[in-house]
Amino acid sequence: MQRTATFLWHLVPTATLAIALALVSPGVLRAQDAGTTSETTAGVTPPRRIVISLTERRLHLLEEGRPPRSFPVAIGRPGVAIPLGDSRVLRKRRNPIWHPTANQRRENPALPVAVPPGPSNPLGKFALDLGWTAIAIHGTNEPDSVGRRASGGCFRMLPADIAVLFEMVPVGTPVRVVSGSAVLPSPQPAVAVAAATSSPPIPAPPPKVAPPLPILPDPRCATAGAPLRRMICTVPDLAALDGRARGLHQRHLAALPAERRDAAAYALLQEERRFDDRITARCWVRRGMEEDPAVAAAAEACLRDALSVRLEEAKRR
């Protein structure tokens, strides 16, 4: 009997601690998130992680075994505190409801308590809530603000970009915000991987040669007047990305039954117009400024990202 009582007595602190932890509010957990992330991920490279550079105003998605992907973001406007350090994705929300903070409502008393999903919602259609209180990576109903210091502390993305990111990152994905440029990993040489294992090498099967992607030139190139479209037409690697996406679209149309082809062709035409609108807002170049080397380099990098995403979407169609 005495042994049983002693055993139960030792269980009391443990049960009390479990109940106390269960009653901790979400806000407290969010405040403690940075410490938890650094402890649980020490020495382990997660399959996907996010690095946001305030200097570059870009979000980098790092995936094990794949080249990094990069997206422009809007960061906090001047005078707004921007979190730095490590956090993680705590929650994913489709069609999120926006709840203005108390400070935002003090600055603008006309703000409602909540804004439902829709065109007036500043979070757009997707939101990734982070471990910092009231900080998220989300879409926007003001795409022109992306790439600038324009937010209330969150990280805004273009609607098409946040839709891609939302599907790719799970809850728990580590997020690091740095003030300087992001340090991106270089691919690990195959020799180093072979040396790290003690097992005898296994002969690799002969590589499968994928059929080359069809490249369909843009018929507008002969008369293109907009600086960004001229850049796509004249820079070889941009023209190749654009042409491959067009070729895949053409292959997709050819595989459809005749009765569905016209509707699909019209949908692709509308999609191409939306793509042109996105790159105009995202990679904007003033007419006549494309000869400036710095302007041209920035526009080319922006277009390369946008065209790469478009090509990946065409492959998944």
Side-chain angles (χ1 to χ4, degrees), residues 45 47 65 70 84 105 121 132 143 149 156 182 201 205 219 241 256 262 274 315-316:
T45 302
S70 177
L84 288 173
R105 297 189 67 203
N121 189 312
W132 295 296
R149 297 198 62 177
R156 298 180 187 172
L241 287 170
L256 292 176
D262 288 345
R274 288 193 294 271
K315 290 177 181 178
R316 293 195 295 268

Side-chain angles (χ1 to χ4, degrees), residues 250 252-268:
Q250 192 64 33
H252 169 70
L253 288 177
L256 292 176
E259 63 271 14
R260 293 177 51 196
R261 204 166 295 152
D262 288 345
Y266 179 75
L268 284 174

Side-chain angles (χ1 to χ4, degrees), residues 38-73:
S38 62
E39 291 172 5
T40 56
T41 60
V44 179
T45 302
R48 287 196 178 107
R49 53 197 174 97
I50 292 171
V51 178
I52 300 174
S53 165
L54 302 185
T55 299
E56 300 169 352
R57 297 178 195 173
R58 299 191 77 80
L59 180 150
H60 303 278
L61 176 61
L62 310 182
E63 300 178 79
E64 192 173 352
R66 294 189 62 182
R69 299 182 68 173
S70 177
F71 307 92
V73 293

Side-chain angles (χ1 to χ4, degrees), residues 215-217 231-244 307:
I215 297 179
L216 188 66
M231 194 172 288
I232 292 175
C233 291
T234 56
V235 177
D237 65 325
L238 299 183
L241 287 170
D242 186 59
R244 288 189 180 98
L307 289 166

Side-chain angles (χ1 to χ4, degrees), residues 269-313:
L269 178 62
Q270 296 297 102
E271 182 181 303
E272 183 170 13
R273 288 173 179 169
R274 288 193 294 271
F275 175 77
D276 286 346
D277 291 340
R278 288 202 302 272
I279 63 171
T280 299
R282 175 177 170 182
C283 312
W284 178 81
V285 176
R286 188 188 301 275
R287 190 180 297 275
M289 290 292 291
E290 63 267 32
E291 301 301 326
D292 184 311
V295 172
E300 285 182 22
C302 181
L303 288 171
R304 193 170 292 108
D305 284 344
L307 289 166
S308 298
V309 171
R310 185 182 182 216
L311 179 58
E312 289 300 316
E313 292 173 348

Side-chain angles (χ1 to χ4, degrees), residues 29-307:
L29 291 177
R30 292 163 73 90
Q32 295 173 344
D33 177 66
T36 303
T37 301
S38 62
E39 291 172 5
T40 56
T41 60
V44 179
T45 302
R48 287 196 178 107
R49 53 197 174 97
I50 292 171
V51 178
I52 300 174
S53 165
L54 302 185
T55 299
E56 300 169 352
R57 297 178 195 173
R58 299 191 77 80
L59 180 150
H60 303 278
L61 176 61
L62 310 182
E63 300 178 79
E64 192 173 352
R66 294 189 62 182
R69 299 182 68 173
S70 177
F71 307 92
V73 293
I75 63 174
R77 59 182 176 270
V80 171
I82 305 174
L84 288 173
D86 293 323
S87 187
R88 60 190 174 93
V89 176
L90 287 186
R91 181 172 61 160
K92 297 171 62 172
R93 290 184 289 156
R94 292 180 184 270
N95 298 315
I97 298 173
W98 179 51
H99 296 275
T101 64
N103 286 336
Q104 288 169 329
R105 297 189 67 203
R106 275 194 294 269
E107 293 174 2
N108 184 2
L111 286 175
V113 175
V115 177
S120 61
N121 189 312
L123 301 183
K125 294 183 178 180
F126 304 96
L128 304 174
D129 295 324
L130 304 182
W132 295 296
T133 302
I135 299 295
I137 301 168
H138 60 75
T140 181
N141 59 351
E142 298 179 5
D144 290 347
S145 67
V146 175
R148 299 187 299 177
R149 297 198 62 177
S151 80
C154 292
F155 304 100
R156 298 180 187 172
M157 298 181 68
L158 291 169
D161 291 346
I162 186 63
V164 171
L165 187 71
F166 188 88
E167 297 300 330
M168 295 188 70
V169 299
V171 170
T173 298
V175 178
R176 172 168 293 179
V177 180
V178 298
S179 58
S181 299
V183 179
L184 304 181
S186 56
Q188 186 178 14
V191 176
V193 175
T197 178
S198 58
S199 303
I202 299 174
K208 295 181 180 179
V209 180
L213 292 176
I215 297 179
L216 188 66
D218 185 353
R220 299 173 296 175
C221 283
T223 58
L228 292 173
R229 181 51 58 182
R230 286 204 308 270
M231 194 172 288
I232 292 175
C233 291
T234 56
V235 177
D237 65 325
L238 299 183
L241 287 170
D242 186 59
R244 288 189 180 98
R246 293 176 182 281
L248 288 173
H249 289 159
Q250 192 64 33
R251 178 189 287 177
H252 169 70
L253 288 177
L256 292 176
E259 63 271 14
R260 293 177 51 196
R261 204 166 295 152
D262 288 345
Y266 179 75
L268 284 174
L269 178 62
Q270 296 297 102
E271 182 181 303
E272 183 170 13
R273 288 173 179 169
R274 288 193 294 271
F275 175 77
D276 286 346
D277 291 340
R278 288 202 302 272
I279 63 171
T280 299
R282 175 177 170 182
C283 312
W284 178 81
V285 176
R286 188 188 301 275
R287 190 180 297 275
M289 290 292 291
E290 63 267 32
E291 301 301 326
D292 184 311
V295 172
E300 285 182 22
C302 181
L303 288 171
R304 193 170 292 108
D305 284 344
L307 289 166

